[in-house]
């Protein structure tokens, strides 16, 4: 018997089904897909089994529907399931008294699709938590609306995965389904992610992972199904591409992943990058810096003597790495040198000799298989930044560290009492033959000054350098003096990647006043101590036995990384200086080599000088500077604003020590050997 206060749903059993769409053609959406539970965890096991090509959607205990008045969209309350658990049909008790003739429609779930979803285990779908279904408008009479059906506005995704022998026994903890160009969840997200409470153990038998997504017709595009896999203590992401697939409302879209192996990975993504992925957690390429050398000549009066360990050509593998939800497919990309804003001048380092270091002396090959080759065809010095753009936006940038073939040899020095090996040059340093180099200054008799302007300067945590001539900045400050467009808001860790070569100021200034703007979270004050592999995390006691890691944002070449503070602490013992013309050599009992050159490289300060340009310190233009600074990989305080650096002072022995600087300060970096060759 049907009571007057009850609502009957799903009168036609044949209409309470999901079709399965596994091909390129969309079949018509079936009406009457009844909805399923959103309350009792114990009853949420799976969708009904597939029968005659359709999936049954079953009511479960605790199911509820919201009753919406059609005329004004107001809620009339909740209808609660009273009969029909485990069936495609349900009887619901209507809320209160609804006047005869009232037009209503019934809603299950919340509009929109949640981006982050959870599934208890393989095969045990929880997609009923994330579905959204709506009925047609019906008229209530006598408190009853009979024969009402609900159609899903959301789509269901089923991923059936089995593994080849190479991956059997590995576990899967997450599923990511991502479209290229579509929206699958929220208001603008192109992916959904499902966390498995109990990881799936891969085997030769197919197991199912379910998800809910917004409808998306990708018959002309791409969809990627990515699994986060743990094998042999390594956790990595394996994305596999599908073309011509569609995710349709009221349908199950099936993605078969049969006998998968690492060979199935999307060709534009590298799954096995073992660098630490802090902060945004993604990047492009296997290193952010590449050494290069012109072998056929050098600058005036220098003796040609190439370093055989440095190549004349480098090939950059620019495949994406890290968080698959954030990376952009690097197809249809262009490569160009970073230039001063509004000019054709390429950022570079000052170089010696009267012959200009023309950027045309570097050739950029045609991209192929997500790699590009750069060849030094005649530049004996200078060091440009190569950026990769897509749609006008910089995705990433790489530093070309061009070392002169003048007898300079790049190598390392053992630090006694430690396992560290310290490089004998700063990143970007063109030469160690400074007397010959300085004898070939330009006609002004001043530049290049060997005491600085012969190395890159880095703001802490950033993968790309700041050149000595990088007056342009990204900041709230009136940009007139810097010839750049005003940036709306401060730059985050992710945003600063799109501005290689630019100095990001420490404080935002109220335009025209010079007064710092407060309360703005940005790259240099975000507490993310691991951007360069910090061995002493914020809030933990300093422990010199901790060893840092190489990160995706580390500026050093492959096989090298930013030093731990312990490296420079070991150099703060007995020291002496041997002055040369020009520059100074630093000697220490902790160094196995008697001479290791530390130039008074100076720094760019973290604020605006009175003349409207970036403040400098320790590196006046006449070459009389005495101080230099070099970063470590360690943050220095709980606010995240400062980091540790090593300071040298040619004139005052007591000032050769580890200090703290604001992360927005731009100083040199000297690398150490990475024991894991990352």
């Amino acid at each position: 018997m049907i009571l007057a206060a009850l609502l009957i749903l799903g009168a036609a059993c044949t209409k309470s089904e999901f079709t399965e769409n596994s091909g390129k053609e969309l079949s018509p959406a079936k009406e009457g897909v009844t909805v399923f539970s959103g309350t009792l965890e114990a009853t949420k096991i799976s969708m009904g089994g597939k029968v005659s090509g359709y999936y049954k959607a079953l009511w479960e205990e605790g199911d509820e529907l919201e009753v919406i008045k059609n005329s004004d969209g107001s809620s009339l309350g909740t209808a609660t399931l009273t009969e029909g658990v485990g069936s495609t049909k349900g009887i619901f008790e209507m809320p209160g008294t609804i006047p005869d003739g009232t037009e209503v429609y019934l809603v299950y779930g919340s509009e929109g699709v949640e981006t982050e979803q959870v599934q208890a285990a393989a095969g045990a779908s929880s997609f009923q938590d994330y579905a959204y279904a709506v009925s047609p408008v019906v008229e209530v009479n006598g408190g009853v609306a009979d024969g009402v059906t609900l159609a899903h506005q959301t789509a269901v995704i089923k991923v059936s995965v089995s593994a080849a022998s190479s991956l059997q026994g590995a576990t899967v903890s997450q599923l990511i389904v991502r479209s290229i160009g579509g929206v699958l969840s929220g208001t603008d997200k192109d992916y959904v992610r499902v966390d498995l409470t109990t990881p799936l153990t891969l085997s030769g038998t197919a197991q199912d992972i379910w998800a809910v997504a917004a409808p998306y017709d990708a018959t002309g595009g791409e969809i990627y199904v990515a699994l986060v896999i743990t094998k042999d203590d390594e956790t990595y992401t394996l994305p596999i591409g599908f073309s011509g697939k569609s995710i349709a409302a009221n349908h199950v879209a099936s993605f078969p992943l049969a006998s998968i192996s690492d060979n199935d990975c999307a060709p534009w993504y590298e799954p096995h990058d073992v660098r630490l992925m802090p902060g945004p957690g993604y990047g492009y390429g296997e290193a952010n810096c590449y050494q290069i050398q012109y072998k056929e000549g050098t600058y005036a009066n220098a003796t040609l003597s190439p370093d055989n360990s440095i190549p004349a050509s480098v090939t950059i593998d620019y495949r994406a790495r890290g968080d698959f939800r954030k990376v952009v497919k690097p197809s249809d990309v262009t490569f160009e040198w970073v230039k001063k804003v509004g000019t054709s001048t390429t950022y570079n380092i000052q170089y010696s000799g009267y012959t200009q270091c023309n950027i045309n002396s570097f050739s950029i090959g045609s991209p192929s298989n997500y790699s590009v080759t750069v060849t030094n065809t005649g530049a004996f010095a200078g060091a440009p930044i190569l950026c990769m753009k897509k749609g006008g936006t910089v995705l990433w940038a790489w530093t070309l560290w061009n070392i002169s073939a003048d007898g300079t040899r790049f190598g390392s020095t053992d630090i006694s009492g430690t396992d560290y090996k310290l490089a004998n040059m700063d990143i970007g340093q063109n030469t160690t033959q400074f007397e010959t180099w300085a004898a070939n200054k330009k006609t002004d008799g001043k530049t290049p000054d060997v005491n600085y302007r012969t190395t890159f300067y880095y703001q802490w945590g950033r993968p790309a350098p700041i050149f000595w001539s990088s007056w342009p900045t990204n900041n709230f400050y009136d940009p007139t003096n810097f010839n750049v467009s005003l940036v709306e808001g401060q730059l985050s860790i992710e945003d600063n990647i799109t501005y290689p070569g630019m100095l990001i100021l420490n404080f935002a200034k109220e335009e025209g006043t010079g007064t710092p703007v407060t309360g703005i979270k940005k790259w240099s004050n975000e507490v993310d101590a691991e951007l360069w592999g910090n061995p002493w995390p914020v809030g933990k006691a300093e422990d010199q036995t901790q060893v840092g890691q190489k990160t995706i944002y580390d500026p050093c070449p492959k096989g090298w990384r930013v030093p731990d503070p312990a490296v420079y602490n070991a150099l703060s013992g007995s020291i002496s200086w041997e002055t040369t013309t020009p520059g100074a050599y630093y000697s220490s009992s902790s160094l196995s080599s008697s001479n290791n050159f530390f130039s008074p490289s100076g720094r760019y300060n973290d604020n605006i000088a009175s003349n409207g340009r970036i403040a400098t310190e320790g590196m006046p233009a006449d070459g009389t500077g005495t101080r230099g600074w070099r970063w470590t990989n360690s943050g220095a305080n709980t606010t995240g604003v400062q980091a540790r650096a090593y300071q040298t002072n040619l004139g005052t022995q007591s000032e050769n020590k580890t200090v703290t600087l604001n992360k927005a300060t731009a100083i040199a970096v000297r690398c150490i050997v990475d024991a894991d060759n990352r």
Side-chain angles (χ1 to χ4, degrees), residues 91-227:
I91 298 177
F92 285 73
E93 182 176 355
M94 291 289 282
T97 301
I98 299 177
D100 287 353
T102 303
E103 291 187 334
V104 301
Y105 58 92
L106 309 167
V107 174
Y108 177 84
S110 300
E111 187 171 3
V113 175
E114 291 187 34
T115 302
E116 307 294 335
Q117 303 173 21
V118 177
Q119 180 172 316
S125 83
S126 318
F127 57 83
Q128 58 267 35
D129 289 339
Y130 312 107
Y132 175 64
V134 180
S135 79
V137 175
V138 295
E139 187 176 280
V140 177
N141 288 293
V144 174
D146 197 356
V148 179
T149 59
L150 287 86
H152 278 274
Q153 310 302 301
T154 47
V156 176
I157 294 171
K158 183 182 77 170
V159 176
S160 299
V161 57
S162 64
S165 58
S166 60
L167 283 181
Q168 290 179 16
T171 59
V172 175
S173 58
Q174 289 179 0
L175 164 73
I176 299 169
V177 181
R178 186 178 178 193
S179 66
I180 299 296
V183 174
L184 296 186
S185 63
T187 58
D188 60 354
K189 301 296 184 184
D190 64 358
Y191 70 93
V192 293
R193 185 177 72 174
V194 179
D195 289 320
L196 293 172
T197 305
T198 301
L200 176 157
T201 300
L202 290 170
S203 70
T205 302
Q207 302 174 75
D208 297 334
I209 308 175
W210 298 82
V212 172
Y216 174 59
D217 184 355
T219 52
E222 296 173 297
I223 292 178
Y224 288 87
V225 176
L227 303 175

Side-chain angles (χ1 to χ4, degrees), residues 398-615:
W398 294 275
T399 300
L400 276 298
W401 180 357
N402 186 22
I403 296 177
S404 296
D406 61 354
T408 295
R409 296 293 182 266
F410 177 73
S412 64
T413 301
D414 292 334
I415 300 177
S416 59
T418 77
D419 293 328
Y420 294 115
K421 296 178 181 294
L422 181 67
N424 64 335
M425 302 169 69
D426 299 326
I427 301 179
Q429 184 178 325
N430 294 138
T431 185
T432 58
Q433 309 300 305
F434 284 102
E435 294 190 20
T436 305
W437 180 271
N440 286 276
K441 290 184 177 183
K442 295 182 182 179
T443 54
D444 62 8
K446 295 180 179 180
T447 54
D449 174 13
V450 70
N451 287 343
Y452 74 108
R453 295 183 177 180
T454 58
T455 186
F456 289 138
Y457 296 94
Y458 287 86
Q459 292 180 295
W460 191 91
R462 299 185 69 190
I466 308 300
F467 287 124
W468 69 269
S469 57
S470 297
W471 299 122
T473 63
N474 288 286
N475 189 62
F476 269 123
Y477 194 78
D478 182 354
T480 303
N481 293 323
F482 311 107
N483 193 29
V484 296
S485 300
L486 186 66
V487 174
E488 296 297 332
Q490 291 291 52
L491 300 182
S492 67
I493 297 173
E494 290 186 80
D495 291 336
N496 84 66
I497 292 170
T498 66
Y499 293 93
M502 291 292 210
L503 190 71
I504 303 174
L505 296 187
N506 174 22
F507 298 111
K509 307 292 172 92
E510 293 283 2
E511 189 169 348
T513 68
T515 303
V517 177
T518 59
I520 299 174
K521 184 178 181 181
K522 71 186 187 80
W523 148 78
S524 67
N525 59 21
E526 290 182 356
V527 181
D528 198 326
E530 293 187 330
L531 286 178
W532 277 355
N534 178 19
W536 293 339
V538 171
K540 292 188 178 181
E542 295 185 347
D543 179 358
Q544 292 196 43
T545 65
Q546 297 185 44
V547 176
Q549 300 184 60
K550 184 160 186 175
T551 74
I552 193 78
Y553 306 108
D554 190 299
C556 295
K558 180 177 174 59
W560 300 79
R561 65 178 179 87
V562 179
D564 303 338
V567 172
Y568 289 126
N569 287 343
L571 297 183
S572 296
S574 61
I575 58 175
S576 62
W577 290 93
E578 177 187 342
T579 303
T580 63
T581 306
Y585 286 88
Y586 172 89
S587 299
S588 168
S589 59
S590 298
L591 289 171
S592 62
S593 173
S594 60
N595 292 324
N596 200 329
F597 184 85
F598 280 76
S599 68
S601 53
R603 68 181 183 183
Y604 283 123
N605 213 334
D606 50 358
N607 55 30
I608 299 291
S610 59
N611 63 358
R613 305 193 82 176
I614 306 303

Side-chain angles (χ1 to χ4, degrees), residues 353-399:
Y354 299 110
T355 303
Q356 294 291 314
C357 172
N358 193 325
I359 200 62
N360 293 327
S361 296
F362 291 89
S363 66
I364 304 173
S366 299
S368 176
N369 296 322
Y370 301 100
S371 65
V372 64
T373 298
V374 178
T375 302
N376 188 340
T377 60
F380 57 78
I385 298 176
L386 181 71
C387 68
M388 177 174 69
K389 287 185 175 181
K390 183 168 184 174
T393 299
V394 175
L395 297 183
W396 208 254
W398 294 275
T399 300

